[in-house]
Amino acid sequence: MARVRSQLSTGLPSLDKVFRGLLAGDNIVWQIDSVDDYIAFVKPYCDHARATNQQLIYFRFADHAPLLEEGDGVTVCHLNPEAGFETFLKKVHKTINDAGRGGIYVFDCLSELAPDWCSDRMLGNFFVLTCPYLYDHAAIAYFAVLRNRHSFHAMWPIANTTQLLIDVYRRDGELYIHPKKVQHRHSVTMYMLHVWREDEFIPVTESCVITEVISDVPWSRLDASSYMLGYWSKTFIAAENLYSNLQKGVGSSRESVHYLERLIKMVISHDERVVELAKKYFSLKDIIDIRKRMIGTGLIGGKAVGMLLARAILTTTDQHWSGVLEKHDSFYVGADVFYTYLVQNGCWWMVHEEDGSGSSSIQADTARRRILAGEFPDYIQKQFSDMLDYFGQSPIIVRSSSLLEDNFGNAFAGKYESVFCANQGGPHKRLEDFLCAVRTVYASMMSEEALFYRRERGLMENDEQMALLIQRVSGASNGNYFCPQAAGVGFSFNPYVWHETIDPEAGMLRLVFGMGTRAVDRCDDDYTRIVALNAPERRPESSFAEVREYAQRRVDVLDMEANLLVSCEFEEMLQHSDNLEIEMFASRDRKREREMRQYGRTSDYFPWVLTFDKLLKDTDFVQDMRDILHIIQEAYDNAVDVEFTVNFFTPEKYKINIVQCRPLGVIANTERILLPENLKQEEIIIESHGAVIGKNMVADLDWVIYVVPHLYADLTESERHDVAHLIAVLAHDDRIIDGNIMVIGPGRWGTSIPALGIPVSFMDISPVNVICELVEMHDNLVPDVSLGTHFFNELVENDMLYMALFADKKGNLLNREFFENENNDTINDFAETIRNVGVVRLIDVSNISGEEKIVINADTVAQKVICYREK
């Protein structure tokens, strides 16, 4: 039957008169004490829709009795709030969009969503995002909320967004309505209390009747100072009361377990593996304590959870660790604050229409700029300000802690921003700097690399929100500089075995002096100390001259005067460090010192070399780190990656600060690969001994992208960026991307300094299977084995093999003639318009003469790789 255009109506003519009619796009919110009172208005509304043959859609999601039954002109859309806010919202919007313009909608009582989402804020966000969507579709919708059940975080956005807000009361068997808001309409009696008698809504004028009806109902204030508590606060108050009773010897331990599980889902995670860890190592008091240091509501995100879990695992296992670990006093900004920020600043639609394909990069850039220009509500700014008062002028770091970050299978290493705040100046300046840092972290959700990472790993449909971890920076002041004495990254499994005495299961450290940024960010102009925890004194270098050559020279510090994170020379840093026991971290080059004395150059010679020898040999630090990594790995039942700092107070006493912990994707090589024997010299293309990281493998290569070293060395910086772009184009071409790809080039892949290598981003080479760095870009440059860096985490997650080739060293071989003389015509089919094609050679193995194939054979335990031609 064809639908006819009809007058929009509540189904109650007298009520239509009170409202001066309904308009297309009206959303009507009923504040009720009982769902039965809501049904009284839903029934005539739906009867009218059916009678006039209008499309009627009912969103069913609550536990209360159904408002409508399917059939007889009703389409019921069943929703599961427990599936998550994003999933729920997307299904509602899709249903509305598929239905087209117009239509009559009924929603179950919204109050039942707050327990599922553990947040009044998210209830308010749902309405703010759905009400305008219905308005734009010229639809009419009925909603209900239970009166005085929610805080202003839910009720203020609902009241501010809806077109009609109606209070419903029941007294002595009669229903009363009190319109609070009727947009774009007015009458003399519209906002009076009305009684529903028979079929009429009659204004109530008698003061005694009015007060009798409404005076016993608590006043609903819609401001931040309202005493009305939402679901979140009520739940935590009940948990605190229960914990207090348990401390007094009363209360139910079974109820305590119930509340623990409930609060874990509210604050910690929905991931089952993380939830099981939290139930085992967190107590009810632990979660209550987290809440006391939270701003806003919602989950605290993966980074915060990882840090807290690592500490809980250690102290639960052995109280000894309480004396070793530096205490933390971190704060957490709940994920709901981020979501509300997007909604209130008009960013939500742009953020959630982005699919990560790069096809809408302009929209992603617009979203980033709008996030950076957004404003926080006054009550959130006040809480930020109070937190900064707590820290005083101690430096802090604002760290991303998204819902997907640092989880099993998804590290998001380096994808989101973390921002240091030196936290200097007056209160207003410190708050402005902090707000800028928060906006920067929020905007990084829309960075090109983050969106690409999510798309490549199939995470675009997952609920991703940004919580924040606010940490006090570990360390002390040295003049104007602030930093820890040492910092780094620890792996419970060591994937780099450069000597037969090294046990991969013992773990490893990537150690630096100063801020740990040098350990996690690949610094192409410097080196770090790699420590095998079962053989800490064994080094890849063979002499102290080599140790000096490849030691850390620059130190990352917070310049408190400039309010910036900066790098300075180690020698300069020491000039600011009067109280530092330098022998703990550095060694004197006695031989070089004597030589300089002979030449009379003692005044301009700096004798200290950052070796960390005394730290590693004469303290318990190595054993402590080995135990820490082992204990956490045992609890996780997975290899782990831990970021830490260490500070000494006396030569014997130090504190280790665990600042981050996440599962590590390294898979142990359980099967040794037999390297081929009796290969002819002319069959070998590459042979490498040393600096091999990844899984053992034997594979046929399909494509080789080779950068000719001597031609690349003659290029300008701009031309080297062109080469990087060409390599990205080749690696992502549909004809190549699904094959086994090896890239070979001089210097460091992924460098930010073109003079030191090839400035590709990891996104550019993500389809590649094998990366080979030729050690000939610069006389003094050797590959920095990037264990612990964000670059390394990318290698691990993409299951790549990394190798360094010292072409001029014994046992290493590079068949330049093969790579530089093999037919390169194929590249013209891929990149005709890109300059410097001659520098890059693309070898299609299927076109090699003689029906040969190229095989790569890697034994990472033996630190050997052979690449050879085979019939």
Side-chain angles (χ1 to χ4, degrees):
M1 182 185 296
R3 290 188 172 91
V4 296
R5 186 175 179 85
S6 62
Q7 179 184 0
L8 300 173
S9 173
T10 63
L12 298 166
S14 179
L15 186 57
D16 291 343
K17 290 179 182 178
V18 174
F19 297 154
R20 299 297 296 271
L22 295 185
L23 303 177
D26 274 348
N27 291 267
I28 300 98
V29 177
W30 305 88
Q31 289 199 94
I32 56 174
D33 294 313
S34 165
V35 173
D36 289 340
D37 296 343
Y38 181 39
I39 292 173
F41 294 93
V42 168
K43 187 177 184 307
Y45 166 71
C46 295
D47 287 344
H48 174 81
R50 282 188 287 243
T52 53
N53 198 31
Q54 296 184 80
Q55 185 171 212
L56 178 57
I57 297 174
Y58 168 38
F59 288 109
R60 174 70 176 145
F61 51 81
D63 291 333
H64 62 63
L67 306 177
L68 298 168
E69 298 295 339
E70 194 154 10
D72 192 21
V74 180
T75 299
V76 179
C77 177
H78 293 276
L79 302 167
N80 178 18
E82 292 183 357
F85 180 90
E86 283 288 328
T87 303
F88 186 93
L89 181 67
K90 286 177 181 177
K91 188 169 182 180
V92 169
H93 284 197
K94 184 178 186 305
T95 301
I96 295 168
N97 191 61
D98 291 348
R101 290 182 63 78
I104 303 297
Y105 292 86
V106 178
F107 287 76
D108 273 343
C109 181
L110 297 181
S111 294
E112 295 208 16
L113 293 175
D116 289 305
W117 297 335
C118 308
S119 170
D120 278 21
R121 275 188 182 86
M122 298 309 287
L123 174 55
N125 288 333
F126 169 75
F127 192 84
V128 169
L129 294 170
T130 302
C131 173
Y133 202 69
L134 289 160
Y135 181 88
D136 290 343
H137 284 76
I140 304 291
Y142 268 27
F143 301 87
V145 290
L146 294 173
R147 185 178 14 261
N148 293 325
R149 180 68 65 89
H150 305 287
S151 68
F152 88 103
H153 296 297
M155 292 313 303
W156 185 86
I158 289 174
N160 195 49
T161 309
T162 190
Q163 284 73 44
L164 285 81
L165 178 64
I166 316 298
D167 265 338
V168 179
Y169 304 95
R170 182 179 289 275
R171 290 294 181 274
D172 299 328
E174 289 187 308
L175 282 174
Y176 295 79
I177 66 163
H178 188 186
K180 295 294 188 69
K181 178 182 180 182
V182 182
Q183 198 172 64
H184 306 313
R185 281 147 283 185
H186 180 69
S187 72
V188 175
T189 61
M190 180 177 287
Y191 295 103
M192 294 177 64
L193 187 70
H194 292 70
V195 62
W196 185 2
R197 288 187 179 144
E198 297 181 353
D199 294 329
E200 296 296 320
F201 286 83
I202 306 164
V204 178
T205 59
E206 299 88 349
S207 61
C208 62
V209 176
I210 296 171
T211 55
E212 184 71 27
V213 172
I214 69 174
S215 63
D216 292 338
V217 177
W219 174 35
S220 292
R221 291 172 57 184
L222 298 181
D223 58 62
S225 61
S226 172
Y227 65 85
M228 190 56 60
L229 301 175
Y231 177 84
W232 176 275
S233 297
K234 291 174 182 174
T235 304
F236 268 99
I237 288 172
E240 288 184 39
N241 290 335
L242 173 62
Y243 176 73
S244 177
N245 288 335
L246 288 171
Q247 293 300 103
K248 297 172 185 175
V250 295
S252 166
S253 57
R254 180 180 297 179
E255 191 178 5
S256 173
V257 172
H258 165 73
Y259 266 99
L260 176 63
E261 294 177 353
R262 192 169 166 187
L263 296 184
I264 285 171
K265 291 291 184 73
M266 289 171 62
V267 177
I268 302 301
S269 180
H270 296 156
D271 182 280
E272 284 307 315
R273 291 182 71 177
V274 178
V275 167
E276 288 305 310
L277 279 170
K279 284 159 60 175
K280 185 174 182 179
Y281 292 103
F282 286 148
S283 67
L284 183 61
K285 182 181 183 299
D286 291 333
I287 309 296
I288 291 171
D289 287 345
I290 291 171
R291 171 66 186 102
K292 290 176 180 177
R293 306 189 73 83
M294 276 189 74
I295 293 172
T297 61
L299 296 169
I300 61 174
K303 194 169 288 180
V305 169
M307 180 270 291
L308 291 167
L309 263 177
R311 291 170 170 275
I313 289 166
L314 291 169
T315 54
T316 301
T317 303
D318 190 338
Q319 278 300 309
H320 153 76
W321 295 110
S322 297
V324 175
L325 298 180
E326 180 179 330
K327 287 189 176 181
H328 82 98
D329 55 355
S330 306
F331 283 77
Y332 320 94
V333 181
D336 294 355
V337 176
F338 167 74
Y339 212 100
T340 305
Y341 180 86
L342 294 185
V343 172
Q344 293 183 351
N345 287 285
C347 311
W348 186 89
W349 295 101
M350 287 182 289
V351 169
H352 287 80
E353 286 174 6
E354 173 61 51
D355 62 3
S357 65
S359 59
S360 53
S361 59
I362 294 176
Q363 180 165 295
D365 185 60
T366 302
R368 281 194 297 272
R369 284 188 280 108
R370 184 169 288 188
I371 291 171
L372 288 170
E375 295 293 333
F376 289 93
D378 290 343
Y379 71 91
I380 288 292
Q381 290 198 48
K382 177 64 169 64
Q383 292 179 66
F384 284 160
S385 181
D386 290 345
M387 179 196 68
L388 293 175
D389 287 343
Y390 168 84
F391 281 119
Q393 290 189 285
S394 295
I396 59 174
I397 180 171
V398 181
R399 309 191 74 184
S400 66
S401 184
S402 82
L403 303 194
L404 297 177
E405 197 172 1
D406 286 4
N407 268 319
F408 288 92
N410 303 306
F412 278 84
K415 295 296 173 287
Y416 298 141
E417 292 282 355
S418 291
V419 181
F420 285 98
C421 293
N423 207 22
Q424 302 301 294
H428 180 74
K429 172 70 165 58
R430 289 187 285 123
L431 178 60
E432 283 303 310
D433 289 347
F434 177 78
L435 293 176
C436 182
V438 172
R439 294 186 188 104
T440 300
V441 178
Y442 281 178
S444 67
M445 275 273 292
M446 297 300 290
S447 73
E448 185 179 4
E449 285 205 350
L451 292 171
F452 179 82
Y453 181 92
R454 289 176 62 194
R455 180 173 66 84
E456 287 294 291
R457 303 186 72 78
L459 301 173
M460 290 305 295
E461 295 302 314
N462 291 54
D463 190 10
E464 176 66 323
Q465 300 175 36
M466 183 63 75
L468 300 174
L469 171 61
I470 317 297
Q471 291 177 300
R472 185 188 298 275
V473 178
S474 175
S477 293
N478 297 280
N480 290 330
Y481 294 157
F482 188 101
C483 66
Q485 293 170 355
V489 183
F491 285 177
S492 62
F493 176 83
N494 184 359
Y496 179 33
V497 181
W498 68 84
H499 192 271
E500 60 187 12
T501 60
I502 292 173
D503 177 11
E505 301 293 338
M508 56 73 57
L509 304 180
R510 180 178 169 93
L511 196 59
V512 297
F513 186 79
M515 303 290 281
T517 45
R518 227 148 237 272
V520 297
D521 298 326
R522 202 177 189 200
C523 299
D524 295 306
D525 59 345
D526 209 355
Y527 299 92
T528 61
R529 175 71 198 268
I530 302 297
V531 181
L533 287 174
N534 77 304
E537 297 177 52
R538 183 166 294 283
R539 304 185 61 127
E541 301 88 357
S542 58
S543 68
F544 195 84
E546 283 192 2
V547 168
R548 182 181 187 91
E549 189 68 36
Y550 306 128
Q552 179 188 352
R553 291 180 175 82
R554 298 185 63 79
V555 180
D556 284 358
V557 296
L558 274 174
D559 187 328
M560 304 297 278
E561 198 170 85
N563 229 1
L564 290 172
L565 177 70
V566 299
S567 295
C568 68
E569 293 293 332
F570 175 47
E571 181 177 1
E572 179 190 350
M573 174 65 190
L574 280 192
Q575 295 171 3
H576 294 266
S577 309
D578 296 334
N579 300 319
L580 180 68
E581 189 183 354
I582 186 59
E583 292 86 356
M584 185 63 69
F585 309 100
S587 304
R588 296 182 81 102
D589 187 344
R590 303 289 184 183
K591 180 180 178 183
R592 191 80 181 273
E593 217 172 345
R594 286 193 298 271
E595 292 173 353
M596 291 298 104
R597 195 177 297 118
Q598 289 174 358
Y599 292 112
R601 294 180 54 188
T602 55
S603 60
D604 62 348
Y605 174 67
F606 182 66
W608 293 104
V609 180
L610 277 168
T611 60
F612 302 95
D613 285 349
K614 186 173 182 181
L615 171 67
L616 301 175
K617 288 191 297 185
D618 298 343
T619 73
D620 294 330
F621 172 70
V622 168
Q623 189 60 52
D624 280 343
M625 288 305 303
R626 186 172 178 177
D627 291 343
I628 284 171
L629 294 169
H630 176 73
I631 291 168
I632 300 174
Q633 175 178 274
E634 287 288 303
Y636 269 74
D637 193 24
N638 197 93
V640 292
D641 161 2
V642 171
E643 292 181 25
F644 63 89
T645 67
V646 58
N647 293 285
F648 279 79
F649 302 96
T650 69
E652 295 79 29
K653 184 178 180 182
Y654 57 83
K655 292 282 187 178
I656 296 171
N657 192 6
I658 304 292
V659 297
Q660 185 174 338
C661 176
R662 61 182 163 216
L664 180 66
V666 170
I667 301 175
N669 290 305
T670 54
E671 281 190 37
R672 293 293 300 273
I673 299 294
L674 294 176
L675 295 173
E677 298 179 355
N678 304 319
L679 285 173
K680 298 177 182 178
Q681 190 71 15
E682 61 268 22
E683 294 174 333
I684 300 174
I685 299 171
I686 291 175
E687 185 170 1
S688 172
H689 292 248
V692 182
I693 301 173
K695 289 196 295 187
N696 295 332
M697 69 181 295
V698 177
D700 296 342
L701 295 176
D702 299 301
W703 300 90
V704 178
I705 300 172
Y706 177 79
V707 181
V708 183
H710 69 274
L711 296 179
Y712 187 75
D714 293 335
L715 298 182
T716 64
E717 182 172 314
S718 173
E719 289 170 332
R720 290 178 181 182
H721 281 288
D722 289 341
V723 167
H725 176 61
L726 171 57
I727 292 167
V729 170
L730 295 175
H732 286 85
D733 190 281
D734 289 341
R735 292 163 287 184
I736 294 178
I737 195 168
D738 292 328
N740 283 330
I741 309 169
M742 181 179 189
V743 293
I744 307 171
R748 295 179 180 171
W749 286 92
T751 180
S752 58
I753 305 174
L756 300 181
I758 302 168
V760 290
S761 69
F762 196 88
M763 187 168 64
D764 292 335
I765 57 172
S766 60
V768 168
N769 306 89
V770 183
I771 296 176
C772 178
E773 294 185 348
L774 302 179
V775 187
E776 54 183 66
M777 185 72 189
H778 190 284
D779 289 342
N780 295 321
L781 181 75
V782 300
D784 177 34
V785 181
S786 305
L787 300 177
T789 64
H790 297 147
F791 185 85
F792 174 75
N793 277 294
E794 297 271 24
L795 293 176
V796 169
E797 289 193 327
N798 285 269
D799 205 18
M800 290 183 183
L801 179 74
Y802 164 88
M803 57 184 287
L805 179 60
F806 299 77
D808 296 329
K809 284 193 175 183
K810 185 179 179 181
N812 291 265
L813 181 146
L814 174 67
N815 187 337
R816 298 178 192 273
E817 183 178 345
F818 169 79
F819 291 111
E820 296 178 16
N821 295 338
E822 189 66 34
N823 188 303
N824 197 39
D825 293 341
T826 306
I827 200 169
N828 295 321
D829 298 333
F830 293 84
E832 293 179 359
T833 62
I834 298 179
R835 293 179 296 164
N836 301 313
V837 166
V839 179
V840 180
R841 303 189 66 80
L842 177 66
I843 299 172
D844 180 354
V845 176
S846 64
N847 288 339
I848 294 177
S849 59
E851 296 184 355
E852 290 182 323
K853 62 181 180 179
I854 296 179
V855 180
I856 186 164
N857 187 310
D859 185 341
T860 58
V861 176
Q863 289 287 285
K864 293 181 181 179
V865 177
I866 296 181
C867 190
Y868 54 93
R869 300 167 69 159
E870 182 178 273
K871 288 287 185 182

